Amino acid sequence: MVIPSVLPERPITVTPFETGWPVRLADTDGNQRLRLDAIARYLQDIGFEHLDAVPDGDTHRGWVVRRTVIDVLKPIQFGERVTLRRWCSGLSTRWCNMRVQICGSSGGLIETEAFIIHFGTESGVPARMSDRFLEPMLAHTTEHRLRWKAALSDPPPADGDVRPFPLRVTDIDMLDHVNNAVYLSGVEEVLADHTDLESGPHRAVIEYAKPLRTGDSVHLVATRSGSALDIWFTVADEPHAVARITPL
């Protein structure tokens, strides 16, 4: 199983990095639910705060997300204050799995795990993390030979529901990539037609294969099979990312 049915719990020896803030209006939908794209931004924000608190964090500023798993166990609502806790659940020398737990002040609970790759900001290629940076993660993990394996590998179907997904200037980050949170806004566009999936506990998984860039003509291809909703982000019929939403 590439992704466990239940994300790994925090070891009792780990004190996670912790931060928090209120859920604001721009983070939520018309039903006051914290959206998936906002959750992805939260993961970025705590990641950069965490870098400011660890040894050699200032020399490890380049990261690319390969996969994000979001388990919405109980929705978080507008007006709640969220507490985010972040820790490593597995690593190699150039990439790692980072867990973030998001707890809402009114009982909302979201568990996440992201496979992230450290890139050299000048070289633009995966780069080894320093020994000082790795040390606290190595001390509290047992998986030190983490390998990438895709969980979502099926090609988009020929008969899927297709809709355009126009890119905006504000979608592009400093690497000339569409920011990973923007993809989740595309997932939200499709999910709006499948409200049964968001009405109860659900899992959203997104894997990024190739970056979307300025000028790309992007289309979403979606298909529903039973309780699973699959969404591909395509350019000239070539998939660049794929997402799946399923009930928990």
Side-chain angles (χ1 to χ4, degrees), residues 97-225:
N97 272 336
M98 297 301 294
R99 284 273 283 109
V100 176
Q101 180 187 71
I102 308 174
C103 298
S105 56
S106 296
L109 177 61
I110 297 171
E111 301 280 2
T112 77
E113 185 173 69
F115 187 108
I116 57 176
I117 303 173
H118 176 239
F119 272 72
T121 53
E122 294 185 3
S123 68
V125 298
R128 188 188 188 280
M129 293 174 269
S130 73
D131 290 341
R132 283 214 318 158
F133 190 83
L134 285 167
E135 183 178 2
M137 295 189 288
L138 288 168
H140 300 295
T141 52
T142 57
E143 175 55 82
H144 298 157
R145 295 180 178 273
L146 183 66
R147 295 289 183 266
W148 168 257
K149 184 177 181 181
L152 308 177
S153 57
D154 292 337
D159 60 349
D161 173 50
V162 181
R163 68 183 77 189
F165 185 62
L167 300 181
R168 304 162 298 179
V169 171
T170 54
D171 295 336
I172 308 299
D173 63 20
M174 66 181 185
L175 299 176
D176 191 35
H177 294 175
V178 170
N179 185 271
N180 72 85
V182 173
Y183 294 76
L184 274 299
S185 68
V187 172
E188 287 282 354
E189 287 286 337
V190 180
L191 191 57
D193 296 332
H194 301 269
T195 54
D196 60 301
L197 287 175
E198 67 181 44
S199 64
H202 57 280
R203 166 173 283 185
V205 179
I206 184 164
E207 294 184 345
Y208 306 91
K210 297 182 179 180
L212 296 174
R213 300 180 184 274
T214 303
D216 282 344
S217 178
V218 184
H219 286 80
L220 306 180
V221 181
T223 184
R224 178 76 182 261
S225 177

Side-chain angles (χ1 to χ4, degrees), residues 31-34 39 71-78 80 102 104 106-110 198-202:
N31 295 316
Q32 303 188 47
R33 172 186 61 92
L34 180 64
I39 294 169
D71 287 350
V72 181
L73 302 177
K74 184 177 180 182
I76 293 174
Q77 303 288 321
F78 170 64
E80 290 192 61
I102 308 174
S106 296
L109 177 61
I110 297 171
E198 67 181 44
S199 64
H202 57 280

Side-chain angles (χ1 to χ4, degrees), residues 4 6-18 46 50 83-90 97-103 109-113 136-137 139-142:
V6 178
L7 295 177
E9 294 186 0
R10 172 172 58 91
I12 59 174
T13 56
V14 173
T15 301
F17 177 77
E18 183 174 312
I46 188 176
H50 197 177
T83 299
L84 297 92
R85 300 179 179 92
R86 187 175 192 261
W87 69 93
C88 180
S89 56
N97 272 336
M98 297 301 294
R99 284 273 283 109
V100 176
Q101 180 187 71
I102 308 174
C103 298
L109 177 61
I110 297 171
E111 301 280 2
T112 77
E113 185 173 69
M137 295 189 288
H140 300 295
T141 52
T142 57

